[in-house]
Amino acid sequence: MDARKFAGKAIGEIGAAVGDGKAISALSGGVDSAVTTVLGHKALGSRLKVIFIDDGLMRQDEPREVRDAFAKMGIKVKVINAKKRFFDALAGLADPEEKRKAFRHTFYQVLGEAVKASGARFLLQGTIAPDVIETKKGVKTQHNVLEQIGIDPKTGYGFHTVEPVKSLFKPGVRKVGRAVGLPRSFSERMPFPGPGLATRCLGEVTPKRVAIVRKACKIVEDATKDRNAFQCFAVLLADKATGLKANGKRALGDIVAVRCVQSKDAMTATPTKLPWPLLERIRDRILKACPTVTKVLYDLTGKPPSTIEYI
Ligand code: XMP
């Protein structure tokens, strides 16, 4: 693929779809929405409003880092604080698809309101090929694939979607990102699921549980920075395991799984052979930062038979 040619064509297509109207781009900080936003900005200039929905499920410091990085590229990002709405919607849900449904509905409700308030009729989305393929195959319903699961975004939420990178896989998206001048910290960023830390918190998603997995994820990401992993993160399991308190008494505590995988396009993956001393450092940091955790596990399964994430 010629990334420059692809970008030029995508910019033309966005311009043609939106006409002389306005569009909104919902930036998440991930590479797909970042590339989509830059393409949209090139096509529409100030007629593209960029918003970042802070759902409370992002990685540490993400809203601020994304806003600052895009400001440096001359793209203004409006942060919408919707944390309470997402936690209210997720309260009491443990089933993965129920959580996805609640996340998706809240996400598009908040987005629909922002689109309405801005007078835009179009939403630019960073949907990519595996999102569509996995939803169609019934592996999981990705949060951004609306039409494929029978939702008409116009009737349901009040906007049309424009999906300029829908035909691409991750390496292609990164290539286009580099071609349009996206900083490498974004074009090479590891994938992060749309429903964010809600996918890494098995069982109920509460602010307290998300805070634990957020800290653990940051520790894993920092410790494996130079490993060239496709994806690495931590997951808070739904079960509890016995541990020992400082006074020697038994107490049930949280279990955190550490995952680090190599992959080309997320369709298959193999676990990374992390050195034992590095795993020990990760374990120690997680136990220190998250006092309710009593067990830290390393996940050795590939995709298939596993998936990369846990839900
Ligand atoms: P799995 O877990 O299916 O993940 O092996 C494949 C890739 O997709 C990401 N992923 C998601 N992305 N919404 C998303 O936007 C989701 O619900 C979701 N689940 C998984 C995952 O991080 C990996 O890169």
Side-chain angles (χ1 to χ4, degrees), residues 100 134 140 142-143 191 193-195 230-231 266 303 307-309:
R100 281 206 175 84
E134 297 216 315
K140 64 181 65 164
Q142 300 283 354
H143 79 286
F230 178 80
Q231 226 169 331
K303 175 181 179 175
T307 59
I308 295 178
E309 303 282 348

Side-chain angles (χ1 to χ4, degrees), residues 200-215:
R200 297 184 180 168
C201 227
L202 303 194
E204 197 183 0
V205 181
T206 64
K208 227 177 171 169
R209 301 192 78 231
V210 167
I212 296 170
V213 80
R214 178 179 288 123
K215 271 192 232 166

Side-chain angles (χ1 to χ4, degrees), residues 41-61:
H41 181 73
K42 286 190 185 291
L44 306 170
S46 62
R47 287 187 294 121
L48 179 75
K49 304 286 165 217
V50 184
I51 60 168
F52 179 101
I53 297 175
D54 185 355
D55 52 20
L57 303 163
M58 297 284 172
R59 284 174 281 197
Q60 204 159 297
D61 302 324

